[in-house]
Amino acid sequence: YLPFVFAGIFMVLSLLSIVYGALRCNILAIKIKYDDYDVRVKPAAYLCIFMWRSFEIATRVTVLVLFGSVLRIWVFLIGLLNFLGFFFYPWVLFWLSKSPFPENIEKELSRVGTTIVLCLLTFLYAGINMFCWSAAQVELSDPDLISKSQNWYQMTVYYIVRLTENAFLLLMWYIYRTDFYLYVCAPMLFLQLLIGYCMGIFFMLVFYQFCHPCKKLFSSSITEAL
């Protein structure tokens, strides 16, 4: 059992490092959005972000691992569709806005170089959104390349679609599970993962409703938007 114990420890440490990175990105995104204000993040906000990201990322990764363990080929298709959707989404919005092509990223860069930089940015954005809601939303029509508005609609759609997708992937795992999961209580695991993801959404709502350091600057609260 010793190798499994070490594997479990490394998995927990990896999860904590990822969650910590997501937490720091959240705080950095808030400071970038509201750089004209003195942003002070309270301990309660740190706690809410940590719990939000922990539940969100841990359940998402677990769902993908379970689904991939019984339908290996299909998990690559699901991942590819997710990645391409989030990769092209900022470009579609940029095309619909009919804004001029960004030229102020770096003066030394040519148009080709700027395009490569923007592609790398949207590549990173797509990779993050495959597992959790990105702390900063890419907006290619903005000079800073980051959306400064708080779009509750996009966030709501994201979490509804993601929760539905997770439930579907878990259902497929439950139907096609092998004898490897013979000693696992599949219905209980199914329920625990869905509740875990909902707990992540709950802590996210608490953060934006009560603990966000700049919640007074919102034109409407998240509960009003919902």
Side-chain angles (χ1 to χ4, degrees):
Y1 296 99
L2 195 58
F4 294 101
V5 173
F6 281 113
I9 293 174
F10 285 127
M11 289 171 63
V12 172
L13 292 176
S14 297
L15 174 62
L16 290 176
S17 64
I18 294 172
V19 171
Y20 177 76
L23 185 151
R24 298 306 305 175
C25 287
N26 257 107
I27 302 302
L28 179 61
I30 292 172
K31 292 181 178 181
I32 292 175
K33 282 185 179 181
Y34 305 98
D35 56 350
D36 295 333
Y37 301 90
D38 183 19
V39 178
R40 296 182 179 179
V41 184
K42 298 181 179 179
Y46 280 105
L47 178 61
C48 283
I49 296 175
F50 181 82
M51 298 301 295
W52 163 25
R53 294 307 190 181
S54 296
F55 280 110
E56 182 180 17
I57 296 173
T59 54
R60 176 62 176 171
V61 171
T62 305
V63 167
L64 291 175
V65 169
L66 290 175
F67 179 76
S69 67
V70 295
L71 296 168
R72 292 186 179 88
I73 298 178
W74 285 98
V75 73
F76 289 106
L77 179 61
I78 294 294
L80 182 63
L81 290 176
N82 269 270
F83 180 82
L84 292 179
F86 287 112
F87 180 83
F88 287 111
Y89 179 69
W91 291 99
V92 171
L93 292 181
F94 174 69
W95 177 72
L96 293 176
S97 67
K98 298 180 180 179
S99 301
F101 189 78
E103 299 288 354
N104 60 336
I105 299 177
E106 285 289 345
K107 295 181 179 180
E108 294 79 8
L109 291 177
S110 63
R111 192 177 183 87
V112 175
T114 301
T115 303
I116 293 175
V117 170
L118 295 178
C119 286
L120 292 175
L121 177 64
T122 49
F123 183 91
L124 176 62
Y125 172 77
I128 293 173
N129 276 280
M130 286 178 60
F131 298 96
C132 64
W133 173 256
S134 176
Q137 299 302 300
V138 174
E139 187 173 344
L140 301 179
S141 59
D142 189 277
D144 296 327
L145 303 178
I146 295 177
S147 175
K148 297 298 181 66
S149 61
Q150 191 64 48
N151 195 320
W152 303 122
Y153 175 75
Q154 288 183 356
M155 180 179 288
T156 303
V157 171
Y158 175 88
Y159 279 105
I160 290 176
V161 172
R162 184 63 77 220
L163 181 60
T164 305
E165 182 192 16
N166 285 345
F168 174 76
L169 296 181
L170 284 174
L171 180 61
M172 292 297 101
W173 165 77
Y174 183 82
I175 294 174
Y176 294 102
R177 71 188 188 279
T178 60
D179 294 339
F180 180 81
Y181 298 101
L182 187 63
Y183 298 102
V184 175
C185 184
M188 182 60 68
L189 182 58
F190 186 109
L191 185 62
Q192 286 175 338
L193 288 172
L194 287 184
I195 292 177
Y197 197 80
C198 290
M199 287 297 296
I201 297 176
F202 169 76
F203 280 107
M204 180 267 293
L205 293 174
V206 172
F207 169 70
Y208 279 105
Q209 183 67 26
F210 302 107
C211 302
H212 196 287
C214 301
K215 63 180 183 295
K216 294 182 180 180
L217 301 176
F218 294 162
S219 58
S220 63
S221 66
I222 190 169
T223 53
E224 292 174 347
L226 293 175

